[in-house]
Amino acid sequence: MLCKKCKNIILQIGLLKKCNNKKCAIVYWDYKVRKLNLLEEGIFIKTLEDAKIKKHNELNKTANKTHFVYIIKLKKNPKGYMYYRGMTGLHPYERYLNHIRGYKSNKMVKKYHSYLLKFEGLYSYDEAKIREQTIKNDLPGPSYGN
Ligand SMILES: [Zn+2]
């Protein structure tokens, strides 16, 4: 199995795939997640556990460092955006799965997601709000966020 971005080796934990090339390091969910009923809470939680994703209370948050900023690469879409910029108090891999399962999902992300390019944090809520905007300058193509 090779990375869809850099063609390097992909490591798989549960249904989560991570590129082993540190300069790339993209992450994506195996296509098999689409066959699961992830709106069933038990199935959703087991999928996260199988992928060894840290739970909300395991994220080393402090009183004012609570949020991550993340970037999802999109497939070709009618609006011409290449990336989605988001912020979350969840682990970004969990947030990504929420987009896929249609829970607090962004419609474009649900339909056109390709992979999680990267995430940053923890930030305070206000820092994350600002970073969600400024991170667009680091991206090689058009992006949108909230
Ligand atoms: Zn890669």
Side-chain angles (χ1 to χ4, degrees), residues 3-8 10 19-21 24-26:
C3 172
K4 60 169 89 173
K5 183 176 183 221
C6 76
K7 309 298 178 203
N8 220 299
I10 280 279
C19 177
N20 196 37
N21 171 7
C24 173
I26 66 163

Side-chain angles (χ1 to χ4, degrees), residues 25-89:
I26 66 163
V27 171
Y28 49 97
W29 288 97
D30 189 274
Y31 73 97
K32 285 177 192 153
V33 296
R34 290 181 304 178
K35 294 178 182 165
L36 301 174
N37 180 10
L38 291 170
L39 291 171
E40 187 77 50
E41 208 56 24
I43 294 173
F44 178 69
I45 288 166
K46 183 170 189 315
T47 304
L48 296 174
E49 284 175 355
D50 288 349
K52 303 202 186 309
I53 293 169
K54 285 186 179 172
K55 296 192 174 98
H56 196 260
N57 60 347
E58 298 169 338
L59 293 175
N60 298 323
K61 290 185 181 186
T62 61
N64 67 343
K65 299 289 180 190
T66 51
H67 281 73
F68 298 96
V69 172
Y70 64 96
I71 303 295
I72 291 177
K73 174 75 167 65
L74 304 174
K75 295 173 192 160
K76 201 168 172 9
N77 61 74
K79 295 205 167 165
Y81 290 120
M82 288 177 67
Y83 302 95
Y84 172 78
R85 312 185 309 271
M87 60 184 276
T88 181

